[in-house]
């Protein structure tokens, strides 16, 4: 998950990256652990070579009828030493791995400093928030008044942070997912992929969700995990492979249910469906050669922006600062949609490049120009979170009478419905 050669070459730069994230310095401790491990490995290899030579000497002595007991005793002592060294190497390797796997990715140079979301930078804004000559409502007020959004029944069924959608709103949720898939596959060059929503430890670990975020995910009684995002199975699908360079970039997109046991800060967004334990999301994943990943990050973010532009939802692109950039990301662009009911910009998509951080964890490589295997770069982005897009469409399309105007691009998916009114099917 981290390049130890680069860390050894410039430990101060590694610590400087961690400091930008608010993390304490660890490079010196890692370098020392690595030195001890490599010294133990070298000693083990030397013992193996010595024991191999002694074995040949014992054989020669026996064939000649000479006494080999002294040499055999030395060989036995070496065997015990080798067992001790092998245990030491395994212990040091586990300790080093345990330290490294909990350290975040190194940041891209252009990520701004900052401790939290207040340090994020607006890169550009699209669209003009609509001026309404009536008091704008939030999505849950609109949905409940229409009789199409039911939190009470969901609570009885599953507890807090779930929702039952009915009629035209259920259809709009489906329509949004289909529209996004069609856009990304027909115009943006992504291959539609249907993936499992139950995955094993290896898939979660390889995509940096374990061990760091185990407490934020649901686990089944047989030890599998409900995916927090389709990023996990899409990205993990290339784990352990050596890809041909001419197959890159590999672009995949999936619509799936997602599950998060931790649904945001306590006491925040407790009403409505902004933060749910279960939600639908269209996820884009790209696997690229290292030299192409910067351009791919911009391309992926533009693909997500296209969805909002086609829907007519005002948004702004944010470059996340160091303190707000996620654990596995080297750089993240967030798209924030304007929500008139909240009178606020709220995140609707995150597009990140992890560079080779995930690839190292899952050993995903490609055959480089020199013929040698090299780590790929992986990128992931919401294209978009369907539930949050539904919220944005509802709030931006609301009318004074409580009805909701459907964006024109969704009419074919909605059976021609242009306005959602109370009880609409």
């Amino acid at each position: 998950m981290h390049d130890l050669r680069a860390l050894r070459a410039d430990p101060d730069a590694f610590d400087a990256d961690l400091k930008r994230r608010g993390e304490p310095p660890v490079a010196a401790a890692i370098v020392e652990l690595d030195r001890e491990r490599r010294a133990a490995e070298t000693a083990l290899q030397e013992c193996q070579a010595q024991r191999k030579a002694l074995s040949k000497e014992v054989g020669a002595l026996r064939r000649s009828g000479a006494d080999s007991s002294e040499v055999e005793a030395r060989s036995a002592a070496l065997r015990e030493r080798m067992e001790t060294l092998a245990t030491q190497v395994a212990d040091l390797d586990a300790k080093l791995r345990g330290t490294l796997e909990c350290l975040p990715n190194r940041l891209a140079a252009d990520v701004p400093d900052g401790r939290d979301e207040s340090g994020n930078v607006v890169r550009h804004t699209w669209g003009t928030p609509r001026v309404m000559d009536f008091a704008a409502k939030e999505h849950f007020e609109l949905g409940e008044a229409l009789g199409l959004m039911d939190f009470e029944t969901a609570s009885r069924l599953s507890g807090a942070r779930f929702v039952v959608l009915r009629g035209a709103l259920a259809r709009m949720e489906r329509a949004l997912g289909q529209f996004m898939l069609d856009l990304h596959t027909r115009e943006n060059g992504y291959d539609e992929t249907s993936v499992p929503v139950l995955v094993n430890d290896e898939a979660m670990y390889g995509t940096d969700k374990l061990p760091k975020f185990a407490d934020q995910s649901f686990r089944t009684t047989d030890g599998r995990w409900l995916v927090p995002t389709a990023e996990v199975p899409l990205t993990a699908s290339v784990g352990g492979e050596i890809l041909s360079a001419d197959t890159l970039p590999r672009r995949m997109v999936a619509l799936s249910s997602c599950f998060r046991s931790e649904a945001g800060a306590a006491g925040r967004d407790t009403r409505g469906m902004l933060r749910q334990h279960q939600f639908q999301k269209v996820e884009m994943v790209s696997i690229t050669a290292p030299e192409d990943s910067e351009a791919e990050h911009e391309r992926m973010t533009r693909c997500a922006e296209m969805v909002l532009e086609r829907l007519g939802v005002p948004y702004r692109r944010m470059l996340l600062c160091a303190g707000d950039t996620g654990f596995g990301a080297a750089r993240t662009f967030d798209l924030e949609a304007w929500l008139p009911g909240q009178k606020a910009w709220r995140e609707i998509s995150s597009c990140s490049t992890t560079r080779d951080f995930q690839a190292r964890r899952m050993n995903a490589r490609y055959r480089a120009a020199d013929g040698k295997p090299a780590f790929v770069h992986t990128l992931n982005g919401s294209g978009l979170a369907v539930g949050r897009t539904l919220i944005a469409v509802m709030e931006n399309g609301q009318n004074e009478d409580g009805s909701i105007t459907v964006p024109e691009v969704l009419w074919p998916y909605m059976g021609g419905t242009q306005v959602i009114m109370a009880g609409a099917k």
Side-chain angles (χ1 to χ4, degrees):
M1 60 291 294
H2 287 287
D3 185 345
L4 279 173
R5 286 178 296 180
L7 193 158
R8 288 194 299 265
D10 196 348
D12 290 341
F14 190 86
D15 281 343
D17 269 353
L18 289 178
K19 184 178 180 180
R20 294 181 69 202
R21 288 183 178 267
E23 300 282 345
V26 296
I30 291 172
V31 169
E32 178 58 22
L33 263 179
D34 182 50
R35 186 197 64 77
E36 292 178 17
R37 183 195 60 169
R38 288 188 294 129
E41 286 178 338
T42 299
L44 177 59
Q45 291 165 0
E46 290 173 351
C47 286
Q48 290 169 335
Q50 291 172 23
R51 191 158 185 264
K52 185 177 181 180
L54 288 176
S55 294
K56 291 181 179 180
E57 188 175 345
V58 168
L61 289 170
R62 286 177 177 175
R63 285 191 296 273
S64 67
D67 182 10
S68 63
S69 58
E70 186 272 335
V71 179
E72 289 179 22
R74 286 160 53 198
S75 180
L78 270 176
R79 183 177 64 251
E80 292 180 4
R81 172 65 174 155
M82 287 168 59
E83 290 173 355
T84 299
L85 284 169
T87 300
Q88 185 179 355
V89 168
D91 289 346
L92 287 168
D93 190 67
K95 191 172 182 180
L96 182 60
R97 187 177 188 84
T99 300
L100 289 170
E101 68 188 6
C102 292
L103 295 176
N105 198 357
R106 301 189 68 169
L107 295 166
D110 61 344
V111 172
D113 290 333
R115 296 180 59 183
D116 52 36
E117 62 184 21
S118 64
N120 296 342
V121 177
V122 179
R123 295 296 292 267
H124 63 250
T125 301
W126 183 91
T128 302
R130 177 181 158 205
V131 177
M132 300 179 182
D133 56 4
F134 57 91
K137 295 178 180 178
E138 293 197 50
H139 70 282
F140 54 85
E141 298 173 302
L142 292 164
E144 289 177 327
L146 290 168
L148 303 176
M149 189 174 284
D150 187 348
F151 295 98
E152 183 179 347
T153 299
S155 181
R156 290 203 312 271
L157 293 171
S158 306
R161 298 193 185 277
F162 291 90
V163 66
V164 172
L165 297 177
R166 305 185 191 282
L169 285 188
R171 184 164 188 172
M172 182 181 278
E173 181 187 49
R174 174 162 55 92
L176 284 166
Q178 291 177 333
F179 160 67
M180 294 174 195
L181 283 178
D182 284 348
L183 176 62
H184 293 318
T185 56
R186 294 174 182 175
E187 298 186 34
N188 295 336
Y190 286 87
D191 291 329
E192 184 171 353
T193 311
S194 179
V195 292
V197 295
L198 282 171
V199 295
N200 57 26
D201 286 354
E202 289 75 14
M204 289 285 281
Y205 180 86
T207 51
D208 64 65
K209 306 303 179 281
L210 291 180
K212 178 74 172 177
F213 302 108
D215 62 344
Q216 297 182 21
S217 299
F218 289 105
R219 195 172 196 186
T220 62
T221 54
D222 66 357
R224 286 178 285 191
W225 300 85
L226 287 166
V227 297
T229 164
E231 169 205 340
V232 173
L234 287 174
T235 308
S237 68
V238 300
E241 292 191 24
I242 300 178
L243 306 173
S244 174
D246 59 13
T247 67
L248 301 179
R250 183 176 294 187
R251 301 183 177 112
M252 299 170 279
V253 64
L255 168 62
S256 77
S257 294
C258 305
F259 306 87
R260 306 258 173 104
S261 64
E262 187 281 319
R268 187 181 184 190
D269 301 317
T270 55
R271 293 202 64 187
M273 55 180 293
L274 197 66
R275 295 183 185 273
Q276 300 267 282
H277 288 307
Q278 175 185 332
F279 55 95
Q280 296 283 312
K281 183 153 69 81
V282 171
E283 185 74 5
M284 303 175 291
V285 162
S286 293
I287 313 297
T288 75
E291 62 270 20
D292 298 327
S293 66
E294 295 301 296
E296 188 70 16
H297 192 199
E298 174 62 28
R299 183 188 189 279
M300 175 180 283
T301 307
R302 274 299 302 148
C303 290
E305 290 174 340
M306 286 174 63
V307 178
L308 291 167
E309 291 171 11
R310 299 285 178 91
L311 292 169
V313 174
Y315 70 88
R316 62 183 189 179
R317 184 197 290 199
M318 309 294 294
L319 172 60
L320 300 195
C321 71
D324 202 32
T325 299
F327 176 82
R331 182 199 304 108
T332 297
F333 293 124
D334 269 8
L335 302 184
E336 296 181 343
W338 174 251
L339 300 185
Q342 288 195 14
K343 297 180 177 61
W345 299 95
R346 299 304 300 267
E347 177 205 333
I348 201 166
S349 171
S350 283
C351 296
S352 300
T353 173
T354 76
R355 294 186 170 172
D356 64 1
F357 187 74
Q358 292 178 330
R360 287 178 178 277
R361 294 174 78 103
M362 68 177 67
N363 196 29
R365 296 173 293 170
Y366 77 109
R367 191 75 62 183
D370 61 4
K372 297 178 180 178
F375 289 111
V376 297
H377 280 198
T378 64
L379 303 94
N380 60 81
S382 311
L384 306 164
V386 177
R388 291 192 172 204
T389 308
L390 176 67
I391 291 171
V393 168
M394 289 175 66
E395 292 198 12
N396 282 280
Q398 64 181 290
N399 303 305
E400 188 171 9
D401 63 359
S403 63
I404 298 167
T405 299
V406 178
E408 186 174 351
V409 292
L410 295 184
W411 293 354
Y413 301 92
M414 295 285 293
T417 297
Q418 299 182 24
V419 179
I420 296 175
M421 296 178 285
K425 301 298 185 181

